[in-house]
Amino acid sequence: MTNNQKWREYVAALSATLITAAAGTTVGWTSPTLPILLNENSPIQTSADQSSWIASIMILCSAASPIPAAYLADRIGTKKTLLLASVPYIIGWILVMFASNVATIYASRVISGLGYGIAYTTAPMYLGEIASNNVRGAMATLITVMSKFGILSQYCIGPFVSMLSLASFNIAIPILFVVTFSTMPESPYYYIKSERREDAEVSLRKLRGKNYVREELESMTNLVTENMKETSHWKDLITVEGNRKGLIILMGIYFTQQFCGSTAVIMYAQQIFGAAEGRLGPNESCILFGSVQLLTSAMSSQLVDRLGRKPLLLISSCGVGLSNIIIGSYFFLKYQYSEYAISLSFIPNVFIPIFIFSYTIGLATVPFAITSEIFHTNIKSKATCVIQIFVALMTFAVTKLYQVVADSLGNHVVFWGFGILSVAGVVFILMYLPETKGQSFAAIQEKLYSSVRVMHLKDEDQMASVKMNL
């Protein structure tokens, strides 16, 4: 299948990832809004501690919804489950529109967090199951591209409009998602698991075109049949060696993704740029920051299936590690030897964009591609659920502790800590991550679940596996 014939897959993927654009608005919303809430003329008087809870409570509550989302994805399909994710976002923005106290803001963030957990549990599953082998990585990175679009919209609009106007803009995104995604096909894998082969064929024709179905449908059916021979249990994530390997790999990657400081920098961007006192103002710096995020995530979507997952993650982790150490050193000089830091005020405006470029080119995008492809069909929803809960708890820890550590010890300690953990991530990725670029689900799973080495032969778009005894 040529790239020109993959437009159906991309239309479905773009429609599906509108829900992660909605997620991006909830993450980016805090950057322009917290300074307003903390201002002495704020319409809703908010303390520094309350502001850190506003930033972090959404992510904490997102840990509550992956288990129900995984259950629903297996029972009613990934499409319907994704559509359900829009409901908490719509309710959340309605609450913001009518908020008159911090408690209502908390309620909004709690409810939005439930949608966040559903979206990030289900979207990688849906995209991984509708995509062809040689574009699966690019399709999965659209999760991040659309999320960054949502974040950038907050940086560009938030500082210049009221909270009511910003919430009115944000509520339109989940509504648009419902309108467009309702017309998209369900995952063919879900239909095959539900023994609805005719529906699976219809779905695949909508995604591939009428000339590209029979062989792929047969391959999907064989894989699902093999995977579903045994009923999966939660304990299988630990007791089955391949599941355990996959889980450890993903936890290591997502730990690096969060503890490089990405979410803290995004949520507190305006405050960080304000503290840095760079040559650009906080608003302008945030817009530059968000633009770099969006453009880099789009670039990553084109590179992930060309360069591979592992090289991008290594480049990304090295870049964020170096940037964190340099930014931390700038803050140290600013607080301890301020007279020397004046001539170095360009550093934040140079290295924070470098940080976000490095982060977005790999750590922000590639993990979703890997999540969508390394587990057996019968365990995938459970594994994705556990990973999303893990990510939610890590993100909450970073977001909540950032304000506490920065206030008590200084920004330099925070960024140096992020730098050390980023370097640790480089070592982990180098040692444990296998490359999965361009490989079929069967071939990828063979690497993790079998004691044989697989040689991949490519004949047009079809992947074959040849077992070689070790």
Side-chain angles (χ1 to χ4, degrees):
M1 191 187 301
T2 66
N3 288 332
N4 290 336
Q5 294 164 327
K6 297 185 184 298
W7 64 268
R8 297 174 181 85
E9 295 175 49
Y10 280 104
V11 168
L14 285 169
S15 177
T17 51
L18 277 172
I19 196 62
T20 60
T25 63
T26 63
V27 173
W29 177 80
T30 58
S31 180
T33 303
L34 290 183
I36 295 173
L37 294 174
L38 290 168
N39 190 286
E40 59 182 16
N41 297 320
S42 169
I44 302 173
Q45 287 299 314
T46 306
S47 68
D49 183 63
Q50 288 172 327
S51 74
S52 70
W53 278 109
I54 289 172
S56 59
I57 197 170
M58 184 201 75
I59 300 298
L60 177 63
C61 291
S62 72
S65 51
I67 291 177
Y71 176 84
L72 288 171
D74 278 340
R75 298 302 185 276
I76 65 174
T78 49
K79 176 184 172 179
K80 291 178 181 176
T81 305
L82 268 180
L83 286 169
L84 286 175
S86 64
V87 177
Y89 287 124
I90 293 171
I91 295 173
W93 290 123
I94 290 173
L95 287 174
V96 171
M97 292 165 70
F98 293 98
S100 59
N101 52 56
V102 173
T104 306
I105 299 292
Y106 283 164
S108 164
R109 300 292 284 171
V110 168
I111 294 170
S112 295
L114 299 178
Y116 190 95
I118 296 171
Y120 275 95
T121 300
T122 314
M125 296 166 59
Y126 179 79
L127 296 186
E129 292 179 357
I130 69 167
S132 305
N133 291 340
N134 59 344
V135 296
R136 190 172 57 245
M139 296 268 278
T141 60
L142 284 175
I143 292 172
T144 302
V145 174
M146 296 298 279
S147 173
K148 301 313 178 190
F149 168 78
I151 292 170
L152 178 60
S153 71
Q154 306 306 286
Y155 293 165
C156 292
I157 300 171
F160 311 107
V161 301
S162 67
M163 285 178 58
L164 175 61
S165 298
L166 186 58
S168 300
F169 169 83
N170 292 341
I171 200 172
I173 297 178
I175 292 173
L176 178 63
F177 162 74
V178 172
V179 171
T180 61
F181 192 58
S182 297
T183 64
M184 296 298 118
E186 176 60 270
S187 159
Y189 280 90
Y190 166 71
Y191 285 133
I192 293 170
K193 284 191 294 183
S194 304
E195 299 181 350
R196 296 162 62 181
R197 185 182 171 90
E198 290 184 2
D199 289 333
E201 183 170 351
V202 170
S203 173
L204 203 54
R205 287 187 185 280
K206 289 180 180 179
L207 292 166
R208 307 286 192 267
K210 62 181 179 180
N211 297 323
Y212 302 95
V213 172
R214 291 292 181 184
E215 290 184 9
E216 186 175 5
L217 181 63
E218 198 62 37
S219 176
M220 285 181 176
T221 303
N222 292 338
L223 179 62
V224 172
T225 301
E226 183 66 27
N227 285 178
M228 300 301 288
K229 281 182 178 178
E230 296 184 9
T231 303
S232 66
H233 303 281
W234 289 97
K235 66 178 182 180
D236 293 341
L237 287 168
I238 303 299
T239 58
V240 176
E241 183 182 1
N243 295 337
R244 187 169 63 251
K245 284 181 183 177
L247 206 59
I248 292 170
I249 288 168
L250 282 175
M251 283 184 170
I253 293 170
Y254 278 110
F255 181 90
T256 307
Q257 181 198 67
Q258 293 307 315
F259 276 89
C260 75
S262 54
T263 305
V265 173
I266 291 168
M267 285 191 168
Y268 294 101
Q270 196 157 327
Q271 291 166 268
I272 291 172
F273 280 115
E277 297 179 355
R279 295 179 181 179
L280 289 177
N283 292 342
E284 294 78 8
S285 297
C286 283
I287 292 172
L288 172 63
F289 174 83
S291 299
V292 171
Q293 280 188 296
L294 180 60
L295 293 174
T296 309
S297 59
M299 184 189 306
S300 177
S301 71
Q302 299 303 308
L303 293 176
V304 67
D305 285 316
R306 297 180 183 182
L307 297 182
R309 282 64 160 155
K310 190 168 185 173
L312 284 180
L313 285 173
L314 288 172
I315 292 168
S316 180
S317 301
C318 289
V320 295
L322 178 64
S323 299
N324 274 319
I325 291 169
I326 292 174
I327 294 167
S329 299
Y330 167 79
F331 276 118
F332 176 76
L333 289 174
K334 181 176 179 293
Y335 292 136
Q336 300 296 325
Y337 307 99
S338 58
E339 66 274 14
Y340 298 111
I342 295 174
S343 61
L344 300 174
S345 60
F346 66 91
I347 286 179
N349 293 128
V350 172
F351 281 94
I352 292 181
I354 290 176
F355 168 91
I356 207 61
F357 173 86
S358 301
Y359 166 69
T360 310
I361 200 71
L363 286 168
T365 51
V366 176
F368 295 110
I370 299 172
T371 302
S372 71
E373 62 192 8
I374 68 172
F375 291 104
H376 279 163
T377 305
N378 67 335
I379 200 72
K380 183 180 292 185
S381 61
K382 293 181 176 66
T384 307
C385 166
V386 170
I387 289 299
Q388 183 54 39
I389 293 173
F390 175 80
V391 172
L393 295 176
M394 294 300 98
T395 308
F396 168 74
V398 171
T399 310
K400 181 62 180 169
L401 290 176
Y402 169 81
Q403 190 78 61
V404 175
V405 177
D407 288 346
S408 59
L409 300 176
N411 278 317
H412 60 285
V413 175
V414 177
F415 280 96
W416 282 342
F418 290 155
I420 292 170
L421 292 173
S422 300
V423 173
V426 173
V427 176
F428 178 87
I429 292 165
L430 195 60
M431 292 180 63
Y432 295 107
L433 178 66
E435 183 55 74
T436 58
K437 179 186 72 171
Q439 298 173 14
S440 67
F441 280 147
I444 293 167
Q445 291 167 9
E446 191 81 44
K447 281 186 174 183
L448 289 176
Y449 291 87
S450 176
S451 59
V452 297
R453 180 177 293 129
V454 178
M455 181 183 298
H456 305 292
L457 303 177
K458 186 172 182 181
D459 182 11
E460 297 178 348
D461 283 334
Q462 301 299 317
M463 299 295 297
S465 298
V466 178
K467 295 183 178 180
M468 300 177 62
N469 292 328
L470 288 173

